[in-house]
Amino acid sequence: MGYGTALGIVRSAIEQGKKIRVVATETRPRLQGARLTTFELKRDNIPVTLITDSMAAMTMRSEVDKVVVGADRILRTGHVFNKIGTYGLAVLARYHKIPCYFAAPTSTFDLCASVEDVEIEHRNPEEVTVLGRSRIAPWGVEVLNPAFDRTPPGLVTAIVTELGIVWPPFEETIPKIVKSGLSVRD
């Protein structure tokens, strides 16, 4: 079993004796949160509550004090690309004054690409129109199904890596941690 990135933060907190309860979103349309995240947490006996994606705002109002998500790609500017829905969680966290941390290995950082260079993959429309073997939307309906979204650096509290925590200003701290391999936290 790997330690994980976002779940690695949870596992580390538990090892430090902190009382943790995870609220996991289902992560539509592929349901990775429902299928994978909750499976790993239950296997590790970590308390977890599964919610639908559309419940995030209501849940953050009273049930959440930190948001921890993963990241698939992080630019030197601090723009974070991750599974669709991450941007929305970061916006909600900001609104509710909850810190939003992104967990990623330093291999995730891309010091060369600009925001305009990153193409967002669009996935099969049937991931949205079909659930299991049942069609849930009318034939011919137009579907928008991006696999990833982009969170701007202003919504990122910090980025947690295997080398330490990267704090803003990201255009200074990200290159430091990637190039030197040293922790940028004081």
Side-chain angles (χ1 to χ4, degrees):
M1 169 184 82
Y3 202 69
T5 50
L7 291 184
I9 292 173
V10 172
R11 290 178 177 114
S12 177
I14 288 173
E15 288 169 4
Q16 294 171 31
K18 295 179 180 168
K19 215 166 158 64
I20 301 289
R21 181 175 68 92
V22 175
V23 176
T25 57
E26 63 186 343
T27 321
R28 286 271 299 147
R30 306 267 317 187
L31 301 171
Q32 298 100 316
R35 291 183 302 109
L36 305 173
T37 304
T38 59
F39 172 81
E40 287 189 40
L41 291 165
K42 289 296 288 179
R43 182 191 60 206
D44 293 347
N45 294 312
I46 297 171
V48 59
T49 300
L50 177 65
I51 63 170
T52 64
D53 293 337
S54 58
M55 294 171 59
M58 181 202 70
T59 306
M60 277 192 205
R61 182 183 308 155
S62 60
E63 303 287 322
V64 175
D65 59 12
K66 289 175 190 56
V67 172
V68 178
V69 294
D72 287 300
R73 188 174 184 183
I74 304 172
L75 305 185
R76 74 180 300 128
T77 57
H79 288 86
V80 180
F81 294 83
N82 195 45
K83 307 296 181 284
I84 191 70
T86 305
Y87 172 54
L89 292 175
V91 169
L92 289 170
R94 175 58 53 95
Y95 179 82
H96 290 288
K97 297 176 178 52
I98 298 169
C100 185
Y101 298 98
F102 287 76
T106 53
S107 61
T108 303
F109 291 104
D110 182 340
L111 300 183
C112 299
S114 69
V115 171
E116 297 78 23
D117 293 335
V118 180
E119 290 186 40
I120 301 292
E121 169 193 359
H122 285 261
R123 299 184 58 97
N124 185 333
E126 286 192 353
E127 291 178 353
V128 178
T129 60
V130 176
L131 186 59
R133 295 183 183 179
S134 300
R135 174 163 279 285
I136 59 172
W139 287 100
V141 69
E142 191 172 317
V143 174
L144 181 62
N145 188 19
F148 302 94
D149 61 24
R150 178 184 75 226
T151 302
L155 297 177
V156 179
T157 302
I159 303 164
V160 181
T161 75
E162 75 280 13
L163 298 177
I165 301 173
V166 183
W167 299 93
F170 295 121
E171 289 202 63
E172 294 174 22
T173 55
I174 287 173
K176 279 184 190 175
I177 200 165
V178 171
K179 290 180 180 174
S180 71
L182 300 174
S183 173
V184 293
R185 180 159 184 169
D186 296 332

mmCIF file of all heavy atoms in Angstrom, residues 88-135:
data_model
loop_
_atom_site.group_PDB
_atom_site.id
_atom_site.type_symbol
_atom_site.label_atom_id
_atom_site.label_comp_id
_atom_site.label_asym_id
_atom_site.label_seq_id
_atom_site.Cartn_x
_atom_site.Cartn_y
_atom_site.Cartn_z
ATOM 1 N N GLY A 88 -13.987 24.179 -7.790
ATOM 2 C CA GLY A 88 -15.189 24.504 -7.033
ATOM 3 C C GLY A 88 -14.990 24.348 -5.529
ATOM 4 O O GLY A 88 -15.456 25.173 -4.739
ATOM 5 N N LEU A 89 -14.292 23.311 -5.127
ATOM 6 C CA LEU A 89 -14.009 23.123 -3.695
ATOM 7 C C LEU A 89 -13.140 24.252 -3.162
ATOM 8 O O LEU A 89 -13.351 24.738 -2.046
ATOM 9 C CB LEU A 89 -13.333 21.772 -3.460
ATOM 10 C CG LEU A 89 -14.191 20.535 -3.716
ATOM 11 C CD1 LEU A 89 -13.353 19.269 -3.556
ATOM 12 C CD2 LEU A 89 -15.409 20.514 -2.806
ATOM 13 N N ALA A 90 -12.167 24.695 -3.955
ATOM 14 C CA ALA A 90 -11.293 25.795 -3.527
ATOM 15 C C ALA A 90 -12.073 27.103 -3.397
ATOM 16 O O ALA A 90 -11.849 27.877 -2.462
ATOM 17 C CB ALA A 90 -10.133 25.952 -4.507
ATOM 18 N N VAL A 91 -12.996 27.354 -4.327
ATOM 19 C CA VAL A 91 -13.844 28.553 -4.244
ATOM 20 C C VAL A 91 -14.701 28.497 -2.989
ATOM 21 O O VAL A 91 -14.802 29.481 -2.238
ATOM 22 C CB VAL A 91 -14.721 28.692 -5.510
ATOM 23 C CG1 VAL A 91 -15.794 29.758 -5.324
ATOM 24 C CG2 VAL A 91 -13.873 29.007 -6.730
ATOM 25 N N LEU A 92 -15.315 27.356 -2.741
ATOM 26 C CA LEU A 92 -16.150 27.199 -1.547
ATOM 27 C C LEU A 92 -15.330 27.352 -0.268
ATOM 28 O O LEU A 92 -15.783 27.959 0.707
ATOM 29 C CB LEU A 92 -16.853 25.845 -1.569
ATOM 30 C CG LEU A 92 -17.954 25.692 -2.606
ATOM 31 C CD1 LEU A 92 -18.411 24.240 -2.688
ATOM 32 C CD2 LEU A 92 -19.118 26.611 -2.290
ATOM 33 N N ALA A 93 -14.141 26.786 -0.261
ATOM 34 C CA ALA A 93 -13.274 26.910 0.917
ATOM 35 C C ALA A 93 -12.956 28.381 1.184
ATOM 36 O O ALA A 93 -13.020 28.842 2.334
ATOM 37 C CB ALA A 93 -11.991 26.105 0.723
ATOM 38 N N ARG A 94 -12.630 29.123 0.148
ATOM 39 C CA ARG A 94 -12.330 30.555 0.318
ATOM 40 C C ARG A 94 -13.543 31.279 0.882
ATOM 41 O O ARG A 94 -13.447 32.084 1.803
ATOM 42 C CB ARG A 94 -11.902 31.152 -1.024
ATOM 43 C CG ARG A 94 -11.675 32.657 -1.013
ATOM 44 C CD ARG A 94 -10.621 33.147 0.003
ATOM 45 N NE ARG A 94 -9.372 32.479 -0.104
ATOM 46 C CZ ARG A 94 -8.315 32.899 -0.785
ATOM 47 N NH1 ARG A 94 -8.373 34.039 -1.427
ATOM 48 N NH2 ARG A 94 -7.216 32.197 -0.812
ATOM 49 N N TYR A 95 -14.711 31.014 0.318
ATOM 50 C CA TYR A 95 -15.935 31.666 0.780
ATOM 51 C C TYR A 95 -16.172 31.390 2.268
ATOM 52 O O TYR A 95 -16.560 32.278 3.024
ATOM 53 C CB TYR A 95 -17.140 31.192 -0.039
ATOM 54 C CG TYR A 95 -18.426 31.828 0.439
ATOM 55 C CD1 TYR A 95 -18.775 33.107 0.012
ATOM 56 C CD2 TYR A 95 -19.259 31.158 1.331
ATOM 57 C CE1 TYR A 95 -19.942 33.702 0.476
ATOM 58 C CE2 TYR A 95 -20.417 31.752 1.794
ATOM 59 C CZ TYR A 95 -20.755 33.024 1.366
ATOM 60 O OH TYR A 95 -21.903 33.613 1.840
ATOM 61 N N HIS A 96 -15.924 30.156 2.688
ATOM 62 C CA HIS A 96 -16.170 29.761 4.077
ATOM 63 C C HIS A 96 -14.965 29.998 4.989
ATOM 64 O O HIS A 96 -14.983 29.579 6.145
ATOM 65 C CB HIS A 96 -16.593 28.287 4.129
ATOM 66 C CG HIS A 96 -17.961 28.051 3.556
ATOM 67 N ND1 HIS A 96 -19.116 28.429 4.176
ATOM 68 C CD2 HIS A 96 -18.348 27.492 2.392
ATOM 69 C CE1 HIS A 96 -20.160 28.112 3.440
ATOM 70 N NE2 HIS A 96 -19.718 27.535 2.337
ATOM 71 N N LYS A 97 -13.917 30.642 4.445
ATOM 72 C CA LYS A 97 -12.711 30.961 5.215
ATOM 73 C C LYS A 97 -12.041 29.708 5.791
ATOM 74 O O LYS A 97 -11.593 29.675 6.926
ATOM 75 C CB LYS A 97 -13.019 31.981 6.310
ATOM 76 C CG LYS A 97 -13.499 33.319 5.750
ATOM 77 C CD LYS A 97 -13.892 34.269 6.849
ATOM 78 C CE LYS A 97 -14.318 35.627 6.348
ATOM 79 N NZ LYS A 97 -15.331 35.694 5.336
ATOM 80 N N ILE A 98 -11.978 28.669 4.945
ATOM 81 C CA ILE A 98 -11.357 27.397 5.295
ATOM 82 C C ILE A 98 -10.076 27.275 4.470
ATOM 83 O O ILE A 98 -10.104 27.473 3.258
ATOM 84 C CB ILE A 98 -12.306 26.221 4.968
ATOM 85 C CG1 ILE A 98 -13.593 26.332 5.781
ATOM 86 C CG2 ILE A 98 -11.621 24.887 5.212
ATOM 87 C CD1 ILE A 98 -14.681 25.368 5.330
ATOM 88 N N PRO A 99 -8.940 26.948 5.085
ATOM 89 C CA PRO A 99 -7.723 26.771 4.289
ATOM 90 C C PRO A 99 -7.851 25.609 3.316
ATOM 91 O O PRO A 99 -8.462 24.581 3.641
ATOM 92 C CB PRO A 99 -6.632 26.514 5.332
ATOM 93 C CG PRO A 99 -7.351 26.091 6.565
ATOM 94 C CD PRO A 99 -8.725 26.675 6.510
ATOM 95 N N CYS A 100 -7.292 25.795 2.117
ATOM 96 C CA CYS A 100 -7.355 24.776 1.068
ATOM 97 C C CYS A 100 -5.929 24.379 0.685
ATOM 98 O O CYS A 100 -5.206 25.162 0.064
ATOM 99 C CB CYS A 100 -8.114 25.308 -0.140
ATOM 100 S SG CYS A 100 -8.371 24.084 -1.429
ATOM 101 N N TYR A 101 -5.524 23.177 1.075
ATOM 102 C CA TYR A 101 -4.184 22.673 0.829
ATOM 103 C C TYR A 101 -4.195 21.689 -0.339
ATOM 104 O O TYR A 101 -5.104 20.874 -0.454
ATOM 105 C CB TYR A 101 -3.649 21.959 2.076
ATOM 106 C CG TYR A 101 -3.537 22.871 3.268
ATOM 107 C CD1 TYR A 101 -4.539 22.903 4.238
ATOM 108 C CD2 TYR A 101 -2.442 23.710 3.427
ATOM 109 C CE1 TYR A 101 -4.449 23.750 5.332
ATOM 110 C CE2 TYR A 101 -2.340 24.558 4.518
ATOM 111 C CZ TYR A 101 -3.348 24.576 5.467
ATOM 112 O OH TYR A 101 -3.253 25.415 6.535
ATOM 113 N N PHE A 102 -3.167 21.770 -1.147
ATOM 114 C CA PHE A 102 -2.994 20.844 -2.264
ATOM 115 C C PHE A 102 -1.810 19.950 -1.944
ATOM 116 O O PHE A 102 -0.754 20.444 -1.533
ATOM 117 C CB PHE A 102 -2.768 21.615 -3.564
ATOM 118 C CG PHE A 102 -4.022 22.270 -4.066
ATOM 119 C CD1 PHE A 102 -4.509 23.417 -3.471
ATOM 120 C CD2 PHE A 102 -4.737 21.705 -5.104
ATOM 121 C CE1 PHE A 102 -5.686 24.009 -3.908
ATOM 122 C CE2 PHE A 102 -5.911 22.288 -5.557
ATOM 123 C CZ PHE A 102 -6.390 23.440 -4.955
ATOM 124 N N ALA A 103 -1.970 18.661 -2.114
ATOM 125 C CA ALA A 103 -0.918 17.697 -1.819
ATOM 126 C C ALA A 103 -0.397 17.122 -3.129
ATOM 127 O O ALA A 103 -1.184 16.673 -3.963
ATOM 128 C CB ALA A 103 -1.453 16.580 -0.924
ATOM 129 N N ALA A 104 0.928 17.165 -3.293
ATOM 130 C CA ALA A 104 1.508 16.662 -4.540
ATOM 131 C C ALA A 104 2.999 16.419 -4.360
ATOM 132 O O ALA A 104 3.675 17.161 -3.651
ATOM 133 C CB ALA A 104 1.301 17.672 -5.662
ATOM 134 N N PRO A 105 3.527 15.398 -5.028
ATOM 135 C CA PRO A 105 4.984 15.226 -5.036
ATOM 136 C C PRO A 105 5.609 16.322 -5.896
ATOM 137 O O PRO A 105 4.956 16.876 -6.787
ATOM 138 C CB PRO A 105 5.171 13.842 -5.662
ATOM 139 C CG PRO A 105 3.951 13.630 -6.488
ATOM 140 C CD PRO A 105 2.841 14.356 -5.798
ATOM 141 N N THR A 106 6.873 16.626 -5.648
ATOM 142 C CA THR A 106 7.528 17.679 -6.432
ATOM 143 C C THR A 106 7.619 17.314 -7.911
ATOM 144 O O THR A 106 7.736 18.200 -8.749
ATOM 145 C CB THR A 106 8.938 17.995 -5.879
ATOM 146 O OG1 THR A 106 9.677 16.782 -5.783
ATOM 147 C CG2 THR A 106 8.847 18.665 -4.522
ATOM 148 N N SER A 107 7.494 16.042 -8.247
ATOM 149 C CA SER A 107 7.492 15.648 -9.661
ATOM 150 C C SER A 107 6.268 16.186 -10.402
ATOM 151 O O SER A 107 6.235 16.202 -11.631
ATOM 152 C CB SER A 107 7.546 14.122 -9.784
ATOM 153 O OG SER A 107 6.416 13.541 -9.162
ATOM 154 N N THR A 108 5.278 16.654 -9.677
ATOM 155 C CA THR A 108 4.060 17.218 -10.256
ATOM 156 C C THR A 108 4.279 18.638 -10.794
ATOM 157 O O THR A 108 3.524 19.110 -11.628
ATOM 158 C CB THR A 108 2.952 17.234 -9.178
ATOM 159 O OG1 THR A 108 2.776 15.904 -8.703
ATOM 160 C CG2 THR A 108 1.642 17.748 -9.702
ATOM 161 N N PHE A 109 5.302 19.311 -10.296
ATOM 162 C CA PHE A 109 5.535 20.711 -10.692
ATOM 163 C C PHE A 109 6.069 20.800 -12.114
ATOM 164 O O PHE A 109 6.939 20.036 -12.513
ATOM 165 C CB PHE A 109 6.515 21.388 -9.729
ATOM 166 C CG PHE A 109 5.944 21.609 -8.359
ATOM 167 C CD1 PHE A 109 6.326 20.803 -7.307
ATOM 168 C CD2 PHE A 109 5.021 22.619 -8.124
ATOM 169 C CE1 PHE A 109 5.806 20.997 -6.035
ATOM 170 C CE2 PHE A 109 4.498 22.822 -6.860
ATOM 171 C CZ PHE A 109 4.884 22.007 -5.812
ATOM 172 N N ASP A 110 5.550 21.756 -12.846
ATOM 173 C CA ASP A 110 5.968 22.035 -14.223
ATOM 174 C C ASP A 110 6.443 23.490 -14.252
ATOM 175 O O ASP A 110 5.630 24.408 -14.213
ATOM 176 C CB ASP A 110 4.796 21.816 -15.175
ATOM 177 C CG ASP A 110 5.152 22.035 -16.628
ATOM 178 O OD1 ASP A 110 6.165 22.708 -16.914
ATOM 179 O OD2 ASP A 110 4.393 21.552 -17.487
ATOM 180 N N LEU A 111 7.757 23.673 -14.303
ATOM 181 C CA LEU A 111 8.325 25.018 -14.256
ATOM 182 C C LEU A 111 8.322 25.717 -15.611
ATOM 183 O O LEU A 111 8.585 26.909 -15.685
ATOM 184 C CB LEU A 111 9.750 24.972 -13.712
ATOM 185 C CG LEU A 111 9.921 24.417 -12.304
ATOM 186 C CD1 LEU A 111 11.385 24.499 -11.875
ATOM 187 C CD2 LEU A 111 9.019 25.132 -11.309
ATOM 188 N N CYS A 112 8.011 24.999 -16.676
ATOM 189 C CA CYS A 112 8.122 25.555 -18.027
ATOM 190 C C CYS A 112 6.795 25.989 -18.643
ATOM 191 O O CYS A 112 6.740 26.983 -19.356
ATOM 192 C CB CYS A 112 8.808 24.549 -18.952
ATOM 193 S SG CYS A 112 10.481 24.136 -18.410
ATOM 194 N N ALA A 113 5.738 25.240 -18.409
ATOM 195 C CA ALA A 113 4.465 25.505 -19.088
ATOM 196 C C ALA A 113 3.790 26.752 -18.532
ATOM 197 O O ALA A 113 3.932 27.099 -17.360
ATOM 198 C CB ALA A 113 3.529 24.313 -18.937
ATOM 199 N N SER A 114 3.047 27.405 -19.417
ATOM 200 C CA SER A 114 2.182 28.511 -18.992
ATOM 201 C C SER A 114 0.760 27.974 -18.899
ATOM 202 O O SER A 114 0.449 26.873 -19.388
ATOM 203 C CB SER A 114 2.247 29.653 -19.997
ATOM 204 O OG SER A 114 1.627 29.272 -21.207
ATOM 205 N N VAL A 115 -0.117 28.748 -18.310
ATOM 206 C CA VAL A 115 -1.516 28.344 -18.188
ATOM 207 C C VAL A 115 -2.092 28.035 -19.564
ATOM 208 O O VAL A 115 -2.820 27.048 -19.738
ATOM 209 C CB VAL A 115 -2.329 29.449 -17.476
ATOM 210 C CG1 VAL A 115 -3.816 29.157 -17.527
ATOM 211 C CG2 VAL A 115 -1.871 29.602 -16.038
ATOM 212 N N GLU A 116 -1.746 28.843 -20.548
ATOM 213 C CA GLU A 116 -2.269 28.657 -21.907
ATOM 214 C C GLU A 116 -1.765 27.368 -22.562
ATOM 215 O O GLU A 116 -2.397 26.852 -23.473
ATOM 216 C CB GLU A 116 -1.908 29.852 -22.794
ATOM 217 C CG GLU A 116 -2.516 31.169 -22.352
ATOM 218 C CD GLU A 116 -1.794 31.814 -21.164
ATOM 219 O OE1 GLU A 116 -0.592 31.519 -20.921
ATOM 220 O OE2 GLU A 116 -2.443 32.588 -20.444
ATOM 221 N N ASP A 117 -0.624 26.852 -22.109
ATOM 222 C CA ASP A 117 -0.057 25.627 -22.683
ATOM 223 C C ASP A 117 -0.814 24.365 -22.267
ATOM 224 O O ASP A 117 -0.712 23.333 -22.932
ATOM 225 C CB ASP A 117 1.408 25.446 -22.246
ATOM 226 C CG ASP A 117 2.335 26.500 -22.815
ATOM 227 O OD1 ASP A 117 2.017 27.069 -23.871
ATOM 228 O OD2 ASP A 117 3.386 26.748 -22.192
ATOM 229 N N VAL A 118 -1.531 24.430 -21.171
ATOM 230 C CA VAL A 118 -2.156 23.233 -20.609
ATOM 231 C C VAL A 118 -3.519 23.009 -21.254
ATOM 232 O O VAL A 118 -4.415 23.839 -21.151
ATOM 233 C CB VAL A 118 -2.300 23.342 -19.081
ATOM 234 C CG1 VAL A 118 -2.963 22.088 -18.510
ATOM 235 C CG2 VAL A 118 -0.942 23.576 -18.434
ATOM 236 N N GLU A 119 -3.649 21.879 -21.921
ATOM 237 C CA GLU A 119 -4.916 21.504 -22.534
ATOM 238 C C GLU A 119 -5.690 20.611 -21.570
ATOM 239 O O GLU A 119 -5.134 19.674 -20.998
ATOM 240 C CB GLU A 119 -4.679 20.753 -23.839
ATOM 241 C CG GLU A 119 -4.137 21.633 -24.947
ATOM 242 C CD GLU A 119 -4.045 20.887 -26.269
ATOM 243 O OE1 GLU A 119 -4.972 20.102 -26.589
ATOM 244 O OE2 GLU A 119 -3.046 21.100 -26.969
ATOM 245 N N ILE A 120 -6.962 20.914 -21.430
ATOM 246 C CA ILE A 120 -7.823 20.121 -20.563
ATOM 247 C C ILE A 120 -8.483 19.026 -21.405
ATOM 248 O O ILE A 120 -9.142 19.302 -22.404
ATOM 249 C CB ILE A 120 -8.913 20.998 -19.907
ATOM 250 C CG1 ILE A 120 -8.289 22.121 -19.071
ATOM 251 C CG2 ILE A 120 -9.862 20.143 -19.079
ATOM 252 C CD1 ILE A 120 -7.551 21.676 -17.833
ATOM 253 N N GLU A 121 -8.285 17.791 -20.984
ATOM 254 C CA GLU A 121 -8.883 16.641 -21.669
ATOM 255 C C GLU A 121 -10.393 16.641 -21.451
ATOM 256 O O GLU A 121 -10.874 16.902 -20.349
ATOM 257 C CB GLU A 121 -8.284 15.352 -21.083
ATOM 258 C CG GLU A 121 -8.979 14.087 -21.482
ATOM 259 C CD GLU A 121 -8.548 12.884 -20.649
ATOM 260 O OE1 GLU A 121 -7.687 13.011 -19.768
ATOM 261 O OE2 GLU A 121 -9.105 11.799 -20.901
ATOM 262 N N HIS A 122 -11.133 16.359 -22.515
ATOM 263 C CA HIS A 122 -12.575 16.178 -22.413
ATOM 264 C C HIS A 122 -12.874 14.696 -22.606
ATOM 265 O O HIS A 122 -12.373 14.071 -23.533
ATOM 266 C CB HIS A 122 -13.310 17.046 -23.436
ATOM 267 C CG HIS A 122 -13.306 18.477 -23.030
ATOM 268 N ND1 HIS A 122 -14.377 19.073 -22.416
ATOM 269 C CD2 HIS A 122 -12.343 19.428 -23.100
ATOM 270 C CE1 HIS A 122 -14.080 20.326 -22.138
ATOM 271 N NE2 HIS A 122 -12.850 20.567 -22.549
ATOM 272 N N ARG A 123 -13.671 14.172 -21.710
ATOM 273 C CA ARG A 123 -13.906 12.736 -21.674
ATOM 274 C C ARG A 123 -15.213 12.364 -22.383
ATOM 275 O O ARG A 123 -15.987 13.225 -22.783
ATOM 276 C CB ARG A 123 -13.911 12.277 -20.224
ATOM 277 C CG ARG A 123 -12.545 12.574 -19.556
ATOM 278 C CD ARG A 123 -12.500 12.056 -18.165
ATOM 279 N NE ARG A 123 -12.744 10.643 -18.140
ATOM 280 C CZ ARG A 123 -11.812 9.696 -18.094
ATOM 281 N NH1 ARG A 123 -10.545 10.030 -18.070
ATOM 282 N NH2 ARG A 123 -12.132 8.431 -18.053
ATOM 283 N N ASN A 124 -15.447 11.078 -22.486
ATOM 284 C CA ASN A 124 -16.605 10.508 -23.158
ATOM 285 C C ASN A 124 -17.900 11.060 -22.547
ATOM 286 O O ASN A 124 -18.097 10.981 -21.337
ATOM 287 C CB ASN A 124 -16.564 8.987 -23.011
ATOM 288 C CG ASN A 124 -17.642 8.284 -23.777
ATOM 289 O OD1 ASN A 124 -18.711 8.831 -24.040
ATOM 290 N ND2 ASN A 124 -17.373 7.043 -24.132
ATOM 291 N N PRO A 125 -18.791 11.603 -23.375
ATOM 292 C CA PRO A 125 -20.062 12.133 -22.867
ATOM 293 C C PRO A 125 -20.899 11.104 -22.112
ATOM 294 O O PRO A 125 -21.668 11.462 -21.220
ATOM 295 C CB PRO A 125 -20.794 12.606 -24.130
ATOM 296 C CG PRO A 125 -19.716 12.837 -25.127
ATOM 297 C CD PRO A 125 -18.636 11.839 -24.813
ATOM 298 N N GLU A 126 -20.744 9.831 -22.441
ATOM 299 C CA GLU A 126 -21.543 8.797 -21.768
ATOM 300 C C GLU A 126 -21.210 8.670 -20.275
ATOM 301 O O GLU A 126 -22.002 8.116 -19.520
ATOM 302 C CB GLU A 126 -21.405 7.458 -22.477
ATOM 303 C CG GLU A 126 -22.165 7.441 -23.786
ATOM 304 C CD GLU A 126 -22.296 6.051 -24.369
ATOM 305 O OE1 GLU A 126 -21.684 5.091 -23.844
ATOM 306 O OE2 GLU A 126 -23.024 5.934 -25.372
ATOM 307 N N GLU A 127 -20.065 9.186 -19.852
ATOM 308 C CA GLU A 127 -19.774 9.190 -18.411
ATOM 309 C C GLU A 127 -20.792 10.043 -17.654
ATOM 310 O O GLU A 127 -20.996 9.841 -16.459
ATOM 311 C CB GLU A 127 -18.367 9.724 -18.142
ATOM 312 C CG GLU A 127 -17.267 8.825 -18.597
ATOM 313 C CD GLU A 127 -15.886 9.409 -18.345
ATOM 314 O OE1 GLU A 127 -15.768 10.579 -17.929
ATOM 315 O OE2 GLU A 127 -14.916 8.680 -18.584
ATOM 316 N N VAL A 128 -21.425 10.978 -18.355
ATOM 317 C CA VAL A 128 -22.411 11.862 -17.741
ATOM 318 C C VAL A 128 -23.838 11.429 -18.059
ATOM 319 O O VAL A 128 -24.732 11.578 -17.233
ATOM 320 C CB VAL A 128 -22.177 13.327 -18.196
ATOM 321 C CG1 VAL A 128 -23.218 14.265 -17.624
ATOM 322 C CG2 VAL A 128 -20.774 13.783 -17.804
ATOM 323 N N THR A 129 -24.065 10.879 -19.232
ATOM 324 C CA THR A 129 -25.430 10.551 -19.660
ATOM 325 C C THR A 129 -25.875 9.141 -19.290
ATOM 326 O O THR A 129 -27.056 8.833 -19.373
ATOM 327 C CB THR A 129 -25.570 10.713 -21.186
ATOM 328 O OG1 THR A 129 -24.649 9.828 -21.842
ATOM 329 C CG2 THR A 129 -25.311 12.148 -21.611
ATOM 330 N N VAL A 130 -24.925 8.298 -18.885
ATOM 331 C CA VAL A 130 -25.240 6.904 -18.548
ATOM 332 C C VAL A 130 -24.692 6.611 -17.153
ATOM 333 O O VAL A 130 -23.567 6.962 -16.833
ATOM 334 C CB VAL A 130 -24.622 5.933 -19.583
ATOM 335 C CG1 VAL A 130 -24.864 4.489 -19.180
ATOM 336 C CG2 VAL A 130 -25.173 6.212 -20.977
ATOM 337 N N LEU A 131 -25.501 5.961 -16.335
ATOM 338 C CA LEU A 131 -25.072 5.542 -15.000
ATOM 339 C C LEU A 131 -25.256 4.039 -14.926
ATOM 340 O O LEU A 131 -26.380 3.541 -15.028
ATOM 341 C CB LEU A 131 -25.886 6.250 -13.923
ATOM 342 C CG LEU A 131 -25.452 6.023 -12.485
ATOM 343 C CD1 LEU A 131 -24.011 6.482 -12.266
ATOM 344 C CD2 LEU A 131 -26.375 6.754 -11.534
ATOM 345 N N GLY A 132 -24.139 3.334 -14.808
ATOM 346 C CA GLY A 132 -24.189 1.877 -14.879
ATOM 347 C C GLY A 132 -24.603 1.480 -16.287
ATOM 348 O O GLY A 132 -23.930 1.800 -17.254
ATOM 349 N N ARG A 133 -25.743 0.835 -16.395
ATOM 350 C CA ARG A 133 -26.278 0.452 -17.712
ATOM 351 C C ARG A 133 -27.515 1.259 -18.078
ATOM 352 O O ARG A 133 -28.177 0.961 -19.062
ATOM 353 C CB ARG A 133 -26.591 -1.036 -17.725
ATOM 354 C CG ARG A 133 -25.349 -1.879 -17.588
ATOM 355 C CD ARG A 133 -25.676 -3.331 -17.668
ATOM 356 N NE ARG A 133 -24.441 -4.084 -17.468
ATOM 357 C CZ ARG A 133 -24.380 -5.379 -17.465
ATOM 358 N NH1 ARG A 133 -25.463 -6.092 -17.661
ATOM 359 N NH2 ARG A 133 -23.237 -5.988 -17.267
ATOM 360 N N SER A 134 -27.812 2.266 -17.266
ATOM 361 C CA SER A 134 -29.030 3.039 -17.488
ATOM 362 C C SER A 134 -28.714 4.435 -18.028
ATOM 363 O O SER A 134 -27.872 5.138 -17.475
ATOM 364 C CB SER A 134 -29.807 3.203 -16.179
ATOM 365 O OG SER A 134 -30.154 1.959 -15.660
ATOM 366 N N ARG A 135 -29.417 4.813 -19.085
ATOM 367 C CA ARG A 135 -29.299 6.168 -19.616
ATOM 368 C C ARG A 135 -30.078 7.083 -18.687
ATOM 369 O O ARG A 135 -31.232 6.820 -18.359
ATOM 370 C CB ARG A 135 -29.849 6.239 -21.038
ATOM 371 C CG ARG A 135 -29.872 7.656 -21.584
ATOM 372 C CD ARG A 135 -30.015 7.679 -23.080
ATOM 373 N NE ARG A 135 -28.749 7.438 -23.756
ATOM 374 C CZ ARG A 135 -27.764 8.326 -23.856
ATOM 375 N NH1 ARG A 135 -27.870 9.504 -23.301
ATOM 376 N NH2 ARG A 135 -26.663 8.034 -24.513
#
